[in-house]
Structures are given as structure tokens and as C-alpha cells.
Amino acid sequence: TYHLAQLFLSFQPAPDLVVLTGDRGMMTAQEADSPRAIAAAAWYVNHVHRDAGEAAEARVDLAEQAAAMLPSGENVDHIARRGLLHLAAALSYAKTGEQANAWRYWDKADAAARQLGDDYAHPWLIFGRGIVDGYAITMHNDLMQPVKALEVADALDLGRIPSATRRSYHLIESARAHGMLGEGTAAVSLLGKAFRESPETIQYNLHTRSVLPELAKSGPRMVRDDALALARDLGVPV
């Protein structure tokens, strides 16, 4: 319940409540003395503190401690949650520009995804081949490597991601890479596709809301009307 509340609140102008639900989720998991619940809570807490710009080392320590609590062995759920925490560490390091550490942890997440198989996706954490590849787009963007981000995006199979929210997010991140390269036409096209995948996801995405007004005003002429129409559909002031 706390994780669902955190996801809802992350799209609202209520940062204090996002932090509160993240902390409450972790507290409840610890009180339950459940390594699986703690692992999931650590993934969500990492998102909160990464977006708040908190020290990467603290986020990585949390992810490693939670991963160490999971029993070793071939349990599929444990492998997925451990891989998810390695992905959390990779995203944290990418956010702060620590490329070597970022890809070292991504390799661990990749190994877990390969162990689980290409067709596996966790029922609600969605860890699997699809999001490991998808979040590599975000990592390249954060590391200011848009060309590499688009190489990953070109090979990404969205069909392996059984979540409209995640599919929309990775499309937005692909659009962000095109935007970094000044490729407004491609960016608008991908934002439109992200809207068709999940209108709610793109409506509250901060990157989308920040770039659409500029694309509608001074983007490539052939897609200005498309950017303007999308902005209006999303309620973004232009």
C-alpha cells in the first residue's frame, strides 16, 4: 500500500509525502522482518533519494545491504529482487556521472536477467530483460551519451516489458536522447508514442512537461503542430 501511494504521490506536487511514503514502506518492511519486502522497499527508497539528489554512496549502501539479506540460491524471486537492487545502484552511480561503477552494477543486473531468461518479468516489480535494457537508456542519458542511448533504444524490445507505464517511460527517455542531439522531429514522434502507451505516465513526466513548450514554439516546423496538440492533451501550458 505504501509503494502504491508513493507511485501516485510521485506524480503530484507533494515531495514531502513521497519521502514519507518511501520511509514508511521501508519501516513496515523492517518491522515485518522480511528480506523480500526490504529489497522492494530499498528499490523505491532509492528512487526517492536519487530524485532528491542525495549522496549516491548512501543509496548504494542501502541497495547492497538489502541485497545481502536475500538468501542465496536459485529462488527466482530472490534473483529478481537482487538484480533489481543492482540496477538501483547502477542508476545511482549514473546519476552522479560515475561511469565505471554504474556499468559494473548494470553488469550484475544484466547477469541476473540472463539467469532468469529473456521471457521473465517479475509480476509487479517488472524486473527482467526488458527493463534492464530500458534503464540502460536512462543511464547513457545521465552520463551525457545520447548516441549510445539511442543504440540501446534501437535494439529495445518493448514487448518484453509487461507494463504500459514502463514502456512509456523508456520511450520518453529515448525522446530525451534525441532531444539532446537536437533531433526534435524524432523526439516529438516518440513522445506521441509514449502518450499512446500510457497517457498518465507522460502527463506527469517532468522532462516531457519541460520540453513540449519549446518544441511547440521553436521545434522543427513539420512537428510544431503535433507538439502543440500533445501539450494541450497533457494540459501543459504553452
Side-chain angles (χ1 to χ4, degrees):
T1 301
Y2 281 128
H3 296 330
L4 287 171
Q6 181 181 338
L7 287 169
F8 173 77
L9 290 167
S10 66
F11 293 121
Q12 314 302 322
D16 291 347
L17 293 179
V18 176
V19 174
L20 178 63
T21 49
D23 289 344
R24 291 279 178 87
M26 176 59 79
M27 185 185 307
T28 305
Q30 291 171 334
E31 289 175 352
D33 196 24
S34 167
R36 288 169 44 162
I38 291 170
W43 165 252
Y44 286 107
V45 169
N46 256 269
H47 279 296
V48 173
H49 294 295
R50 187 165 56 248
D51 290 344
E54 308 238 345
E57 291 75 11
R59 300 194 300 269
V60 171
D61 286 346
L62 173 63
E64 287 187 329
Q65 290 168 12
M69 295 177 66
L70 291 166
S72 59
E74 299 301 312
N75 182 288
V76 169
D77 190 79
H78 294 161
I79 294 170
R81 292 178 194 242
R82 190 176 295 108
L84 190 70
L85 292 170
H86 290 148
L87 191 56
L91 288 163
S92 291
Y93 276 127
K95 192 77 169 179
T96 56
E98 298 181 58
Q99 180 170 319
N101 283 327
W103 294 114
R104 178 164 61 88
Y105 277 95
W106 185 90
D107 285 342
K108 293 181 180 182
D110 177 60
R114 283 189 279 107
Q115 186 177 356
L116 294 168
D118 287 348
D119 295 328
Y120 174 86
H122 190 276
W124 61 279
L125 293 168
I126 319 296
F127 179 83
R129 177 77 274 154
I131 73 160
V132 171
D133 291 339
Y135 275 116
I137 301 172
T138 299
M139 290 171 61
H140 280 303
N141 282 342
D142 288 343
L143 292 166
M144 305 303 293
Q145 300 168 339
V147 173
K148 292 183 178 180
L150 292 176
E151 289 174 358
V152 175
D154 286 345
L156 180 63
D157 183 358
L158 289 176
R160 288 180 175 165
I161 305 174
S163 163
T165 294
R166 296 290 178 85
R167 291 194 298 271
S168 181
Y169 173 76
H170 296 313
L171 286 166
I172 294 167
E173 285 295 290
S174 301
R176 179 159 76 105
H178 279 293
M180 292 168 69
L181 294 170
E183 297 169 353
T185 302
V188 172
S189 175
L190 284 170
L191 290 176
K193 186 173 182 179
F195 176 74
R196 293 189 292 274
E197 284 284 353
S198 175
E200 295 87 354
T201 299
I202 190 172
Q203 183 174 4
Y204 301 106
N205 182 271
L206 294 178
H207 171 73
T208 300
R209 298 184 72 86
S210 67
V211 300
L212 269 180
E214 185 64 25
L215 287 168
K217 180 182 177 182
S218 57
R221 288 190 178 276
M222 68 175 63
V223 294
R224 285 183 194 175
D225 288 345
D226 294 331
L228 179 60
L230 182 57
R232 287 173 173 166
D233 285 341
L234 299 177
V236 176
V238 176

